[in-house]
Amino acid sequence: MGGKENNQRTNAVELIKLQHEPQGDTLVAVRLPDLPGAIRTGYSFVALSDGRVMVLGGTDSQYLGCSPCTADTYILDTEKKSWAAGPKMTEPRANSSATLLPDGSVLVAGGWTPSHTWGGPGSRTVEHWDPIKNVFVKNAAFLPTAVAMHRALWAKGEEGKQLLLAGGNSAAVQAYEVSTGIWRLVGESNQGSEKRGVSVASVLFQNRQYLLRESGESNYSSEKGWSFIPLRMGSGPGMGGVARNFDSYSGVALYRGGLTFLPGKNDTPGLALGGSIHAGMNTYGITAAVDAIWPDGRIQALPAFNYARTGAQAFRLSDGSILLIGGQVNGQANAGDIVESASFMEWLPGNAAPQEARWQPLDAAWAQNKALGQMADGSLVAVDNSGGVSRIKFRADAQGKLQVETSKLPPLHQPRLFQDPTDLIVRGLPDGRIIVAGGEMQNKRLAVMHENSMDPNAADEYLRIGEAEPTDDYEIYEPATGQWRQSAASRADGGLLAVYDDGRVARLHAKEKERNDQGSPQEECEMEISSADGKMWSELKAAELPVICSRARMFVLQDELFVAGSHADGNLHTDIQTLQWFNSATRRWETLWQSTPQQNWRDNVGRIIIRQLANGKRVMLPVADIL
């Protein structure tokens, strides 16, 4: 169908048939009536179970995208050699995929829709054609990530059970489980493609699923040609094979920037949630991907959540359920998708098997524009820009719905301003104390005069004014007194902060030193750690400092202190990505992982490793571009 005749676009249609001749079989082309309507490209077509062919959507524009595109469908009867108008899709589409399912229905996925008129990664919407009612119905579930110009193919050995979407302008591989209607993101590479018709094939090797993919013409490609993408399908009946394994030392790279890592607890796996993948045409594909990562090096894709996002916060509640809150859901990757910002929070109940559990969107007005932290009992603490503090407790009712109970705590001594909720650290300690650190303060004040201000018993009231500046102290909530108190001031302000389980706060920052021979400013690290009660700070000596303190993040995991980021290698004129651990016994920073010189940084985006520390703890660690 389509193509060009005499260098002009055409709606021409030909049927290629096998014809039996005395001298041998041969292929013949039979010209059929042209596709009705305007001459177009970007349509999809599918053979129906009764032998007819359905053509869906497309655009008459000379450009890629939906500017405009159509929701029209047409059905070709190859025996009668005639076309008939079919039902309209729920929305116009171009460069989507259409797949015949075992029940005779047609699954239409992705492509460009009017919400994505030109460029961008496409749409996440899905719809079904019902052959009995002859209507299209929009699916409630979305694709894990937007895609267009892709291919739909059955997983090898799972025909009619697991459908894969791959290729096109996304580096992601998505799987649809026919029996449950669940979507998963099951694989990705480190580049997308700007090339139409990228070739893909499903491969089953030693009971593990792979995608054979031709790397397209992309500005982000580190390699060209063919490559295998290992898929995170399995394990269990109908899951497409055994779960994928990875070497725990080198870890696994998920190629998703800004994904959220939720550490495992007891026998539960760590979770990698959301994040964005490089897609074609200089865009990012924000995802709703969920991966379970076990300490023994197994990784398995779980059902996607509802609203694709990057940079979210995730919390594991006392009953094992998961809360996913906030993050970036808009931007170029989801431009025009009103539904993308309809839910601020999602909840995954903890009483279902991970491979079957469904995420539930929830109203979370209590969490919007607030910095969040978790207490030992699973409850959350929320702090807003005005200094207000709330305690939020959760419980599941008899109907399996999440119930939220909010109570007020005394406000902070002074508001700590933040642009992003993750800029402020809120941490509940095992002893019931709460630490609030970071943010910025307005340190100048204006006194507010009231009619009774001169009364000796009148409380003083001030209005904070002036430019906000980074803080050099933090606040501690004491449950015994029900009040907040301020810590001692550190020598420096701002920088990276992390909180130990006992209440100690580590502050790491860079100070500029003299310029090098090329005139570039050099940095050196300075670090302080407060006492557990916050009444004093101790400075670490130069020999005890990490190699990175800017373009980095510092975090505490299993009560161990880590710093991850990148630093310049003066000899190689390149950046080295590094993850270090502070060995409190030797008071030295040990390098646990480092990228190889001149390695493409995209090869390590979303990388997670497993390490056995010198003190015997086994930890699962994110090393690059992970929250």
Side-chain angles (χ1 to χ4, degrees):
M1 301 184 64
K4 290 186 176 181
E5 288 182 325
N6 300 322
N7 207 32
Q8 297 292 321
R9 288 183 178 177
T10 178
N11 276 358
V13 181
E14 291 181 280
L15 178 65
I16 311 301
K17 299 181 66 174
L18 179 66
Q19 184 167 295
H20 301 288
E21 301 286 352
Q23 64 271 26
D25 294 342
T26 184
L27 293 175
V28 296
V30 179
R31 185 68 179 254
L32 297 178
D34 288 1
L35 173 67
I39 295 175
R40 74 188 76 119
T41 61
Y43 48 79
S44 54
F45 60 98
V46 58
L48 304 179
S49 55
D50 59 6
R52 297 180 299 163
V53 176
M54 177 180 283
V55 177
L56 308 93
T59 177
D60 58 4
S61 171
Q62 61 179 319
Y63 302 108
L64 287 174
C66 181
S67 54
C69 57
T70 180
D72 292 342
T73 68
Y74 293 92
I75 298 178
L76 172 65
D77 189 320
T78 57
E79 294 296 325
K80 296 179 180 180
K81 298 182 180 180
S82 63
W83 287 94
K88 286 184 177 292
M89 292 185 290
T90 62
E91 59 181 334
R93 292 180 190 271
N95 293 101
S96 61
S97 62
T99 306
L100 179 69
L101 299 183
D103 64 357
S105 65
V106 172
L107 178 75
V108 184
W112 282 291
T113 65
S115 296
H116 303 78
T117 54
W118 186 88
S123 173
R124 294 180 57 224
T125 59
V126 181
E127 55 186 293
H128 263 96
W129 174 64
D130 184 333
I132 305 300
K133 297 180 180 179
N134 193 29
V135 294
F136 282 90
V137 179
K138 199 164 189 176
N139 288 25
F142 294 94
L143 298 177
T145 190
V147 68
M149 301 191 298
H150 55 287
R151 300 284 181 84
L153 67 160
W154 294 107
K156 189 72 173 178
E158 294 294 316
E159 291 79 5
K161 298 178 182 178
Q162 294 280 349
L163 179 70
L164 303 179
L165 303 187
N169 67 343
S170 172
V173 185
Q174 308 178 68
Y176 176 70
E177 189 175 58
V178 175
S179 62
T180 62
I182 288 176
W183 284 97
R184 296 174 174 85
L185 196 151
V186 296
E188 56 275 284
S189 65
N190 68 344
Q191 73 275 321
S193 171
E194 299 173 10
K195 180 179 177 182
R196 298 196 220 188
V198 172
S199 298
V200 293
S202 176
V203 176
L204 184 65
F205 179 69
Q206 294 185 346
N207 205 26
R208 287 188 170 88
Q209 293 281 350
Y210 297 84
L211 187 84
L212 178 62
R213 182 181 186 274
E214 181 187 18
S215 298
E217 300 168 359
S218 171
N219 294 332
Y220 299 117
S221 296
S222 59
E223 296 180 0
K224 298 290 195 299
W226 292 88
S227 60
F228 281 101
I229 299 176
L231 302 184
R232 300 184 291 276
M233 298 171 66
S235 51
M239 293 299 293
V242 298
R244 178 186 169 190
N245 288 79
F246 62 91
D247 177 74
S248 61
Y249 189 82
S250 60
V252 58
L254 298 174
Y255 305 122
R256 303 204 304 267
L259 68 79
T260 300
F261 176 69
L262 182 65
K265 189 175 182 180
N266 299 326
D267 295 330
T268 61
L271 296 180
L273 302 138
S276 60
I277 309 175
H278 278 287
M281 295 176 290
N282 304 328
T283 62
Y284 290 88
I286 299 179
T287 79
V290 182
D291 289 293
I293 307 168
W294 279 268
D296 62 3
R298 289 180 296 128
I299 179 170
Q300 180 185 354
L302 299 183
F305 46 85
N306 296 281
Y307 300 102
R309 62 186 82 200
T310 180
Q313 291 180 274
F315 301 96
R316 195 185 305 272
L317 303 184
S318 58
D319 62 356
S321 61
I322 307 295
L323 276 182
L324 185 65
I325 301 177
Q328 177 67 35
V329 296
N330 296 314
Q332 187 177 12
N334 295 313
D337 271 349
I338 298 174
V339 71
E340 291 290 353
S341 56
S343 174
F344 190 76
M345 183 174 78
E346 299 188 47
W347 177 56
L348 182 69
N351 57 358
Q355 65 269 23
E356 299 174 356
R358 304 292 186 101
W359 292 82
Q360 299 180 16
L362 299 173
D363 177 22
W366 56 266
Q368 296 189 37
N369 302 316
K370 294 182 177 66
L372 302 173
Q374 191 165 29
M375 302 295 294
D377 63 0
S379 63
L380 299 187
V381 177
V383 179
D384 60 36
N385 263 317
S386 67
V389 184
S390 302
R391 183 85 174 264
I392 301 97
K393 297 183 178 181
F394 307 91
R395 64 176 180 85
D397 62 19
Q399 288 72 42
K401 301 295 183 181
L402 186 66
Q403 301 299 316
V404 180
E405 177 186 331
T406 303
S407 58
K408 294 288 187 180
L409 292 178
L412 302 177
H413 283 97
Q414 182 176 338
R416 291 175 178 259
L417 308 180
F418 52 88
Q419 296 294 323
D420 187 279
T422 59
D423 293 340
L424 192 68
I425 294 181
V426 181
R427 172 76 191 276
L429 305 181
D431 61 9
R433 290 182 296 159
I434 304 170
I435 301 290
V436 177
E440 296 184 336
M441 288 184 179
Q442 294 174 295
N443 292 316
K444 296 181 179 179
R445 301 186 298 175
L446 281 179
V448 179
M449 178 71 74
H450 294 286
E451 291 182 0
N452 61 343
S453 293
M454 301 306 294
D455 189 316
N457 296 322
D460 293 335
E461 184 178 347
Y462 296 93
L463 178 67
R464 296 283 174 175
I465 62 170
E467 184 177 354
E469 299 176 346
T471 61
D472 58 6
D473 64 0
Y474 58 92
E475 295 211 31
I476 309 164
Y477 177 76
E478 298 285 1
T481 63
Q483 298 297 321
W484 292 90
R485 62 179 177 86
Q486 291 176 283
S487 74
S490 61
R491 294 178 60 230
D493 53 32
L496 308 178
L497 295 167
V499 181
Y500 282 93
D501 289 353
D502 62 1
R504 289 175 296 156
V505 175
R507 183 189 300 276
L508 177 66
H509 65 95
K511 70 172 184 178
E512 186 174 312
K513 63 180 184 180
E514 61 185 38
R515 295 176 178 266
N516 61 14
D517 295 339
Q518 289 76 36
S520 300
Q522 300 294 293
E523 289 182 344
E524 63 180 21
C525 299
E526 288 188 332
M527 185 171 178
E528 297 174 87
I529 297 181
S530 74
S531 58
D533 59 10
K535 294 181 178 180
M536 62 176 293
W537 292 81
S538 299
E539 184 180 4
L540 270 71
K541 298 178 181 178
E544 301 169 342
L545 297 173
V547 298
I548 43 178
C549 46
S550 62
R551 294 191 297 164
R553 60 193 175 85
M554 187 166 60
F555 59 98
V556 169
L557 188 61
Q558 293 188 34
D559 207 29
E560 302 291 336
L561 185 64
F562 303 90
V563 63
S566 60
H567 62 97
D569 187 307
N571 297 322
L572 297 173
H573 304 288
T574 186
D575 282 350
I576 301 294
Q577 293 171 289
T578 303
L579 170 69
Q580 293 186 294
W581 163 60
F582 182 61
N583 187 334
S584 57
T586 62
R587 294 184 65 82
R588 292 290 185 273
W589 286 87
E590 298 182 9
T591 298
L592 300 181
W593 175 87
Q594 198 166 61
S595 63
T596 57
Q598 299 180 335
Q599 184 180 23
N600 189 326
W601 63 268
R602 295 179 185 87
D603 292 337
N604 295 311
V605 171
R607 184 173 295 278
I608 297 172
I609 63 172
I610 299 173
R611 288 291 184 275
Q612 189 84 24
L613 302 180
N615 58 15
K617 293 183 181 179
R618 186 174 175 83
V619 291
M620 185 181 298
L621 296 162
V623 302
D625 199 21
I626 298 177
L627 298 179

